[in-house]
Amino acid sequence: MVLVTGAAGQIAYSLLYSIGNGSVFGKDQPIILVLLDITPMMGVLDGVLMELQDCALPLLKDVIATDKEEVAFKDLDVAILVGSMPRREGMERKDLLKANVKIFKSQGAALDKYAKKSVKVIVVGNPANTNCLTASKSAPSIPKENFSCLTRLDHNRAKAQIALKLGVTANDVKNVIIWGNHSSTQYPDVNHAKVKLQGKEVGVYEALKDDSWLKGEFVTTVQQRGAAVIKARKLSSAMSAAKAICDHVRDIWFGTPEGEFVSMGVISDGNSYGVPDDLLYSFPVVIKNKTWKFVEGLPINDFSREKMDLTAKELTEEKESAFEFLSSA
């Protein structure tokens, strides 16, 4: 049982086919897809339901479209929480947080009440890190390690920028890291990244020999890529977000390749990389048997430290605002 929320929206439209065709959970895993959206979107959702039926996907045993949480969250194995309140023009970040705390508190409580305790929860809707923390706090009977938020899109963007610069494919680049918040304070770090050139692996800094680009334009390009796509397309980056969700969930399900790590927003323990305890922060992780672990012991230089602290500060402030709303909601 796989739930996608915000299922009548753009990202879900790019995502649902990939889940249904076996690209995420494997070519021999039958799936029941549950689609949740708000009541005014049910007409659109019926259209999406019809299209999924018309794809005639052999692995898709059933598709359930609903606007009711008690239906949507029942017996779930995986919950992909895409739907959130988008930021409207003139809206303060605080207003955005308040609206989303309400949504993710309710969905967290529904997970707690109806889903399997082994459910894996992936939060995509922004502000993703803090929404994920809110959902986790509202589902005390589900292990907090089962909650993660999507920073894989930023991770993929960072890989792609390095690949473009070096004239290789994104597959030749590995072990980039996104630290912190899925916002413009995130820090794309390639100090530990490797690239395959002429058949051998070299460090990205060594391969590029362009420190000023790596510390300047590269960082800002990745940080602001979402805004650049919106400016160009007049719509958000739905196709690349859907691809990143598939990558993220597939890695949870099947594990990360040997010798590679990926970026995921997960709960901090206060012992890793100087990140305060109990923040939902993007770290480098490896995954095995559906369980993630921090990649430990990577040396952090002063430039990185400053960027990592800056995004932790923003997340701490977001968390404090969200928790004010959470306790009064």
Side-chain angles (χ1 to χ4, degrees):
M1 294 275 282
V2 179
L3 165 68
V4 176
T5 72
Q10 265 220 100
I11 291 175
Y13 194 72
S14 287
L15 172 67
L16 292 167
Y17 176 74
S18 294
I19 295 174
N21 75 2
S23 305
V24 180
F25 297 103
K27 299 291 181 193
D28 51 4
Q29 176 60 63
I31 284 173
I32 296 171
L33 255 183
V34 189
L35 313 179
L36 175 69
D37 216 311
I38 54 175
T39 310
M41 295 304 288
M42 287 309 287
V44 178
L45 199 55
D46 282 341
V48 175
L49 174 70
M50 285 188 258
E51 279 210 83
L52 278 168
Q53 290 166 341
D54 296 349
C55 286
L57 295 164
L59 292 172
L60 212 47
K61 279 173 64 179
D62 195 10
V63 185
I64 299 158
T66 183
D67 56 358
K68 293 178 177 58
E69 286 184 346
E70 63 273 20
V71 175
F73 287 88
K74 191 139 183 54
D75 297 331
L76 291 179
D77 297 289
V78 178
I80 304 171
L81 308 183
V82 179
S84 65
M85 166 73 83
R87 192 169 188 163
R88 304 224 167 89
E89 219 174 323
M91 201 180 199
E92 292 291 324
R93 196 164 174 88
K94 221 169 175 149
D95 299 331
L96 185 69
L97 272 171
K98 189 173 186 177
N100 279 299
V101 162
K102 200 172 154 197
I103 295 167
F104 286 86
K105 180 184 183 182
S106 174
Q107 293 188 350
L111 281 162
D112 204 56
K113 192 169 177 185
Y114 301 112
K116 291 179 182 173
K117 298 307 170 200
S118 58
V119 66
K120 300 293 183 187
V121 185
I122 297 92
V123 176
V124 179
N126 285 321
N129 298 59
T130 301
N131 287 346
C132 188
L133 189 63
T134 301
S136 169
K137 294 287 179 194
S138 308
S141 71
I142 296 168
K144 54 185 185 294
E145 292 76 22
N146 288 21
F147 287 80
S148 59
C149 83
L150 188 76
T151 55
R152 185 59 169 268
L153 177 52
D154 310 302
H155 180 99
N156 287 349
R157 285 166 171 164
K159 270 177 75 159
Q161 288 302 313
I162 298 297
L164 285 166
K165 190 82 168 168
L166 284 166
V168 298
T169 71
N171 231 17
D172 295 321
V173 182
K174 68 175 191 184
N175 297 352
V176 302
I177 301 168
I178 303 296
W179 297 103
N181 200 359
H182 176 62
S183 75
S184 58
T185 68
Q186 62 170 269
Y187 169 46
D189 175 6
V190 290
N191 284 291
H192 313 285
K194 300 263 190 282
V195 59
K196 197 183 281 179
L197 291 176
Q198 283 100 40
K200 62 174 207 268
E201 279 191 355
V202 286
V204 165
Y205 266 84
E206 191 191 329
L208 268 169
K209 299 183 175 59
D210 189 347
D211 290 18
S212 64
W213 182 79
L214 283 168
K215 288 181 170 175
E217 194 186 327
F218 163 72
V219 172
T220 52
T221 299
V222 176
Q223 286 175 335
Q224 293 162 18
R225 188 68 163 186
V229 171
I230 289 173
K231 193 174 175 204
R233 209 171 86 87
K234 310 292 179 269
L235 290 163
S236 69
S237 43
M239 179 170 43
S240 51
K243 159 66 167 60
I245 295 164
C246 291
D247 292 345
H248 178 117
V249 178
R250 193 187 310 108
D251 282 348
I252 290 175
W253 223 246
F254 294 108
T256 45
E258 195 60 45
E260 281 191 42
F261 45 79
V262 294
S263 307
M264 265 162 85
V266 294
I267 196 76
S268 62
D269 60 4
N271 300 319
S272 295
Y273 297 107
V275 176
D277 185 31
D278 205 35
L279 277 188
L280 212 294
Y281 188 98
S282 182
F283 287 93
V285 299
V286 289
I287 307 164
K288 200 175 178 177
N289 302 327
K290 299 189 175 63
T291 306
W292 58 264
K293 283 196 173 90
F294 295 123
V295 175
E296 295 287 8
L298 298 172
I300 302 296
N301 62 28
D302 291 348
F303 179 81
S304 296
R305 181 77 269 157
E306 193 182 321
K307 296 268 190 249
M308 288 162 69
D309 290 348
L310 189 74
T311 193
K313 182 173 179 282
E314 181 183 62
L315 278 170
T316 304
E317 286 164 7
E318 273 188 24
K319 175 184 166 179
E320 283 165 5
S321 297
F323 280 26
E324 266 172 51
F325 299 134
L326 198 56
S327 54
S328 62

